[in-house]
Amino acid sequence: MSFEIAIQTVIYQTLTAHTPLMAMIEGVFDDVEESQIFPYVTIGESTHAENDTVAVFGDDSTITIHVWSRYEGRSETKRIQGAIYDALHRAKPTYTGYNIMGIDWVNSQSFIDTDGETRHGVQTFRILIDKTS
C-alpha cells in the first residue's frame, strides 16, 4: 500500500468518525455526483515529498480538504472548517503498517465559487508518516 492510499484512508476515517462534523454535513467524499446535497466535504489534492531516514521510508505530505455549501453567507463553511480543524489538527491516527507522527493544520481560506452561489472552503493539512513494515 502506498503513502497516498494510507493518508487518504486515514483522513477519511478520521473525518467520518468525528461526530460534530458529520452532524453538519451530508458526507465526506472523494468525488461527488452533480445531484449531491449540500453541504459536504471532499478530500482533494495531495503533495508528497521524500522524508526518508537511513532506516525508515518516510513521506512529508499535504492534503487539501474542500467544504462545499450553498448557505447564504460564509458562516456555515467556516463552522464546518472549524470542525475539520478539530478533527484533524494534532491528530495522531493509527494505520496498520505506518507510523503517523502527526497531522497539522497549515492554512484555510473561503470564497464564493465561480458559479456565484456556492461557498467553497479550502484547508490544507500536513502529515508526516513513516512506513513500518
Side-chain angles (χ1 to χ4, degrees), residues 43-58:
I43 300 172
E45 307 76 16
S46 60
T47 65
H48 301 271
E50 179 186 347
N51 195 33
D52 294 349
T53 65
V54 172
V56 178
F57 292 111

Side-chain angles (χ1 to χ4, degrees), residues 10-23:
V10 90
I11 293 294
Y12 177 81
Q13 290 173 343
T14 303
L15 291 177
T16 57
H18 191 69
T19 304
L21 172 64
M22 296 310 293

Side-chain angles (χ1 to χ4, degrees), residues 74-127:
R74 296 177 195 221
S75 63
E76 181 176 70
T77 300
K78 291 180 179 187
R79 281 193 305 275
I80 295 167
Q81 286 182 303
I84 293 168
Y85 175 93
D86 291 344
L88 294 178
H89 184 60
R90 301 288 169 99
K92 292 185 179 179
T94 59
Y95 194 81
T96 302
Y98 295 86
N99 175 32
I100 300 167
M101 291 161 281
I103 302 172
D104 292 299
W105 173 78
V106 175
N107 60 42
S108 296
Q109 63 179 316
S110 64
F111 48 90
I112 298 175
D113 212 33
T114 56
D115 67 5
E117 65 178 315
T118 303
R119 276 38 177 194
H120 186 179
V122 179
Q123 292 173 284
T124 304
F125 291 86
R126 181 179 183 214
I127 301 107

Side-chain angles (χ1 to χ4, degrees), residues 61-72:
S61 302
T62 63
I63 193 156
T64 304
I65 310 298
H66 298 268
V67 174
W68 305 92
S69 170
R70 288 273 172 90
Y71 183 83
E72 292 184 18

